[in-house]
Each structure stands twice: as structure tokens, then as C-alpha cells.
């Protein structure tokens, strides 16, 4: 029985470790400036925790087998454990977790601080609602028009969904779309808002993930580095239609971006 348990524990450990080593289900190729840094932090965490996991599970299997019951086994003795050992592994675990968190917090902060993105950054506002994403561009004046909670009507879609106040002169050139277009190799200044509940804008390829919280305007900035189409998902369970909150980011050349935005402006007039 001891040997069977050892084999089972080791087998589960090795099979599950294999999928991580072989990268069976892995992240898409990174397409943003911070992707290298984030992936490095991610890999470091996985390698360190993987070593601890494999060592712990292999020892567990070994101990289950070594202390199995045999006809000559001595009677069971209970102990209160080893205080010195417990202090050592608790301290090591604390150092590991706090250390990884401190390292990770720098990557996290790099997309959120400084609070203001560079002045030449491309401004985009993403608004999550049950159950769609809308994206707003401030247009040639570079200013988002006012929005009002009382004007928000998700069932109407587009401008009405985000509550655009059309009496504001700055609203004339605000473009609201259901698909996000971004120019490649430009810093993007993203404002993230929500109409109803907490949503989460997740673009795995851009290594971008941030909650959208009602009542807050959350700023983040990032730089897409490869032309392509990337999937957006809502990563916060936000209701029955959560699975429908799917969208696309089109990262295009500056030229294509300008053309696309000009076409949207023309449609609006
Ligand atoms: Cu959602």
C-alpha cells in the first residue's frame, strides 16, 4: 500500500509538472513593451515554486513509503514537531513570497506610474458594461467630452452606452467604437471605466490586465510592439453574459490607425 501511494503521488507530480515544462497551455507570444519583463517575472515565479512543489511532493511520497506499516513496525509515537525546523521553513517561505511580491510590484507599477502618460501618448478610454466593451477616442481636440451617469444606456449601445453628453462641444469629435484600434510602437494612455459592476480588461498578448470599477477612472499605459489582432476578454465574473464580453484589439501601423480614425470621424459628421 505504501509503495502504491508513493507511485501515485510521484506520478501525479511528474505528469502535472510535465505540462508546465512542455508549456502545453501557455501564454500567447507577448506583443507589448513590458511583455519581456512580465514574462521573466512569471517564469521566475514558476521555476522557484515548481522546484519547491516537486521537492515537497517527492519527499511526501518517499516518507509515505518509508514509514508504512509493517509487521515489525514499532508502536506509533506522537510528537509536537520540530520548532527549529518549523521556524526555518516559515521564514524561508516568507522571504520567498515577500521577495517575489517586491520584484513583481515593480513590473506592476511600471504600467501604472507615473500616473500621467507621456504627452504624445495615444488616448483611449475603455468602458465595460453588462455585457460589452466600448472604446472612446477623444478626436483631434485631444479632450474627452463629459459623460453623465444619468445618460448611460447600455441597451442603446455606442455613445449612449457610455453616457456621452452631446451638449458638450468636446463631444463633436469623440469617437465611440466596439473594437479597439491602436497604433504600433506608441505609448497608449488608457482610461478604464465601468458602467455597472466590476469588469476586467484582459488582453493576454499585451500582458495587460486591469479591473474596471464603477465610479473610478483608472489610468494605465502600455506600448504595443507588434502589428496583429489580439483577443480581449473580461476577466471578472460580471454576470450571466460574462462569456460574451469578448472583443478585439487591432494593432496597426500609424498610417492605418490615422486612416481608420479619420473614417470614424467622417462617419460621425
Ligand atoms: Cu465583464
Amino acid at each position: 500500500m505504501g509503495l502504491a501511494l508513493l507511485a501515485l503521488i510521484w506520478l501525479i507530480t511528474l505528469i502535472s509538472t510535465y505540462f508546465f515544462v512542455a508549456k502545453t497551455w501557455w501564454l500567447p507570444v507577448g506583443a507589448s513593451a513590458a511583455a519581456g519583463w512580465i514574462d521573466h517575472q512569471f517564469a521566475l515565479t514558476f521555476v522557484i515554486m515548481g522546484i519547491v512543489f516537486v521537492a515537497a511532493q517527492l519527499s511526501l511520497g518517499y516518507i509515505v513509503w518509508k514509514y508504512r506499516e509493517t509487521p515489525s513496525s514499532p508502536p506509533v509515537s506522537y510528537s509536537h514537531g520540530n520548532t527549529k525546523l518549523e521556524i526555518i521553513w516559515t521564514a524561508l517561505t516568507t522571504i520567498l513570497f515577500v521577495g517575489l511580491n517586491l520584484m513583481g510590484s515593480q513590473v506592476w507599477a511600471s504600467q501604472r506610474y507615473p500616473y500621467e502618460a507621456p504627452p504624445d501618448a495615444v488616448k483611449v478610454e475603455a468602458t465595460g458594461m453588462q455585457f460589452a466593451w466600448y472604446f472612446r477616442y477623444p478626436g483631434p481636440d485631444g479632450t474627452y467630452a463629459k459623460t453623465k451617469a444619468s445618460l448611460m444606456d447600455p441597451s442603446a449601445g455606442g455613445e449612449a452606452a457610455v453616457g456621452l453628453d452631446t451638449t458638450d462641444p468636446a463631444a463633436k469629435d469623440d469617437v465611440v467604437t466596439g473594437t479597439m484600434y491602436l497604433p504600433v510602437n506608441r505609448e497608449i494612455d488608457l482610461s478604464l471605466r465601468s458602467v455597472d459592476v466590476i469588469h476586467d480588461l484582459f488582453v493576454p498578448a499585451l500582458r495587460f490586465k486591469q479591473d474596471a470599477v464603477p465610479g473610478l477612472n483608472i489610468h494605465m499605459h502600455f506600448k504595443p510592439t507588434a502589428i496583429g489582432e489580439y483577443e480581449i476578454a473580461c476577466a471578472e465574473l460580471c454576470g450571466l453574459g460574462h462569456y460574451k464580453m469578448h472583443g478585439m484589439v487591432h494593432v496597426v501601423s500609424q498610417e492605418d490607425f490615422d486612416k481608420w480614425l479619420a473614417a470614424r470621424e467622417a462617419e460621425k459628421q
Side-chain angles (χ1 to χ4, degrees):
M1 191 61 194
L3 195 63
L5 258 179
L6 170 139
L8 185 68
I9 293 170
W10 282 16
L11 204 66
I12 292 172
T13 307
L14 296 176
I15 291 174
S16 50
T17 308
Y18 165 81
F19 290 116
F20 287 95
V21 175
K23 299 190 172 178
T24 311
W25 298 286
W26 209 246
L27 301 166
V29 176
S32 74
W37 195 5
I38 292 172
D39 289 3
H40 175 257
Q41 182 68 30
F42 194 76
L44 183 74
T45 307
F46 259 115
V47 169
I48 295 176
M49 301 323 282
I51 291 170
V52 173
F53 168 75
V54 171
Q57 297 305 307
L58 293 185
S59 331
L60 176 68
Y62 171 72
I63 286 167
V64 161
W65 169 76
K66 186 167 191 276
Y67 295 102
R68 69 197 181 281
E69 192 184 22
T70 60
S72 58
S73 296
V76 176
S77 71
Y78 292 94
S79 87
H80 287 287
N82 185 322
T83 312
K84 206 194 271 177
L85 263 182
E86 293 206 8
I87 289 173
I88 291 173
W89 68 52
T90 307
L92 284 178
T93 311
T94 309
I95 291 169
L96 197 66
F97 274 92
V98 174
L100 285 172
N101 265 296
L102 285 178
M103 286 175 75
S105 66
Q106 292 185 20
V107 192
W108 183 88
S110 74
Q111 291 186 311
R112 290 161 177 86
Y113 302 101
Y115 189 71
E116 299 293 337
D120 63 338
V122 179
K123 283 185 176 178
V124 190
E125 179 195 80
T127 306
M129 66 196 67
Q130 291 172 322
F131 295 97
W133 291 106
Y134 283 103
F135 306 101
R136 179 155 72 122
Y137 297 81
D141 67 0
T143 310
Y144 292 118
K146 271 184 252 158
T147 55
K148 283 185 183 162
S150 57
L151 296 172
M152 284 173 174
D153 180 7
S155 62
E159 290 182 358
V162 301
L164 190 74
D165 179 359
T166 47
T167 60
D168 183 349
K172 277 203 180 67
D173 63 351
D174 277 23
V175 164
V176 178
T177 68
T179 310
M180 192 195 256
Y181 273 74
L182 300 174
V184 73
N185 291 326
R186 290 281 304 276
E187 194 74 19
I188 309 297
D189 177 2
L190 186 93
S191 304
L192 201 50
R193 307 196 318 152
S194 169
V195 166
D196 35 42
V197 297
I198 299 176
H199 299 278
D200 188 298
L201 188 75
F202 182 30
V203 191
L206 299 180
R207 305 292 190 268
F208 183 102
K209 191 164 185 275
Q210 172 63 49
D211 276 5
V213 183
L216 291 184
N217 187 352
I218 297 170
H219 283 272
M220 275 188 73
H221 51 92
F222 62 99
K223 189 195 273 185
T225 52
I227 289 175
E229 288 179 18
Y230 308 110
E231 221 177 347
I232 302 173
C234 179
E236 193 72 69
L237 188 57
C238 57
L240 282 177
H242 169 64
Y243 69 95
K244 286 194 282 193
M245 282 192 73
H246 171 270
M248 291 307 275
V249 183
H250 295 254
V251 176
V252 296
S253 66
Q254 181 72 50
E255 200 191 351
D256 287 347
F257 176 74
D258 293 339
K259 256 191 241 164
W260 173 81
L261 196 58
R264 298 290 82 73
E265 292 285 351
E267 260 173 26
K268 202 181 142 93
Q269 302 314 319

